[in-house]
C-alpha cells in the first residue's frame, strides 16, 4: 500500500533504496522504542504505518511530523479505490492541524475474485474455529475473540470496499454473522 501511495507522487520504496536510502521492515508497532525511538534518535527518517491510533500523539515529541497528502494526489488515489481520511487534531491534540490522508480502517481480508469456493469456505471456517486464539487487538497477550461479527459487516469502522466472496457470505450467514 505504501508503494501505491508513493507512486502517486512518482516514486516507490525501491526508488528510495536506489537513491541510497535504507528500507527497514520493522515488526513492532510504531510507538515501540525500536521504531519511534529510532526516529527520535535520528536513526530513521520516516515511518510508514497505518495504525496511527497508537502513535499519532507521539510524532511531534519524536521531532517528526505527518506529511499530508495533497488534494490532487488524494484524487488520484481515490480513482484507484482509496477512501479519503483525516488524522484529526481533535482526536490527537499534539498535531498542528488535521492531516489529509487515505483511510485504511477495518479488517480487510482480500482474495482473488476467482478464488475457489472451497478455499474461501475453509478459510472462513478456520477464522471461526480459531477466533479465540487470533491476536488482533493492540495490547496484551490475552485477547478478546476475533470480532467476526464486526469484520463481516459494512460500518464506518469496517468499510467494505470490495464485495464479500459468495462462499464467505454463505459461511457468515450459516454461523449467524450475516442475516
Amino acid at each position: 500500500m505504501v508503494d501505491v501511495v508513493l507512486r502517486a507522487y512518482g516514486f516507490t520504496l525501491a526508488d528510495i533504496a536506489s537513491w541510497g536510502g535504507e528500507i527497514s521492515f520493522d515488526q513492532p508497532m510504531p510507538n515501540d522504542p525500536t521504531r519511534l525511538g529510532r526516529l527520535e534518535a535520528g536513526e530513521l527518517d520516516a515511518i510508514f504505518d497505518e495504525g496511527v491510533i497508537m502513535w499519532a500523539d507521539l510524532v511531534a515529541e519524536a521531532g517528526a511530523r505527518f506529511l499530508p497528502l495533497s488534494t490532487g494526489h488524494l484524487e488520484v488515489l481515490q480513482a484507484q479505490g482509496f477512501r479519503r481520511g483525516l488524522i484529526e487534531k481533535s482526536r490527537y491534540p499534539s498535531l498542528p492541524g488535521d492531516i489529509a490522508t487515505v483511510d485504511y480502517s477495518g479488517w480487510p481480508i482480500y482474495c482473488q475474485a476467482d478464488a475457489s469456493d472451497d478455499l474461501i469456505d475453509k478459510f472462513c471456517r478456520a477464522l471461526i474455529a480459531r477466533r479465540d486464539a487470533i491476536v488482533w487487538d493492540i495490547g496484551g497477550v490475552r485477547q478478546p475473540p476475533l470480532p467476526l461479527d464486526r469484520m463481516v459487516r459494512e460500518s464506518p469502522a469496517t468499510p467494505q470496499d470490495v464485495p464479500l466472496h459468495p462462499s464467505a457470505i454463505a459461511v457468515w450467514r450459516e454461523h449467524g454473522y450475516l442475516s
Side-chain angles (χ1 to χ4, degrees), residues 57-128:
D57 263 336
L58 304 174
V59 171
E61 73 183 54
R65 63 186 175 95
F66 282 98
L67 298 176
L69 300 179
S70 73
T71 301
H73 289 97
L74 278 168
E75 289 170 358
V76 167
L77 292 165
Q78 281 183 288
Q80 295 176 48
F82 284 86
R83 281 172 275 114
R84 280 183 194 246
L86 273 182
I87 304 171
E88 298 161 322
K89 180 174 176 51
S90 63
R91 187 167 182 186
Y92 305 103
S94 70
L95 297 178
D98 291 344
I99 309 296
T101 188
V102 291
D103 181 9
Y104 196 69
S105 58
W107 295 292
I109 299 173
Y110 299 104
C111 68
Q112 295 281 121
D114 62 354
S116 77
D117 292 344
D118 185 54
L119 172 69
I120 302 305
D121 181 89
K122 286 178 180 174
F123 183 83
C124 293
R125 291 179 191 286
L127 286 175
I128 293 167

Side-chain angles (χ1 to χ4, degrees), residues 12-14 16-17 21-25 48:
T12 66
L13 289 172
I16 293 172
E22 182 181 334
I23 309 300
S24 171
F25 294 93
F48 299 97

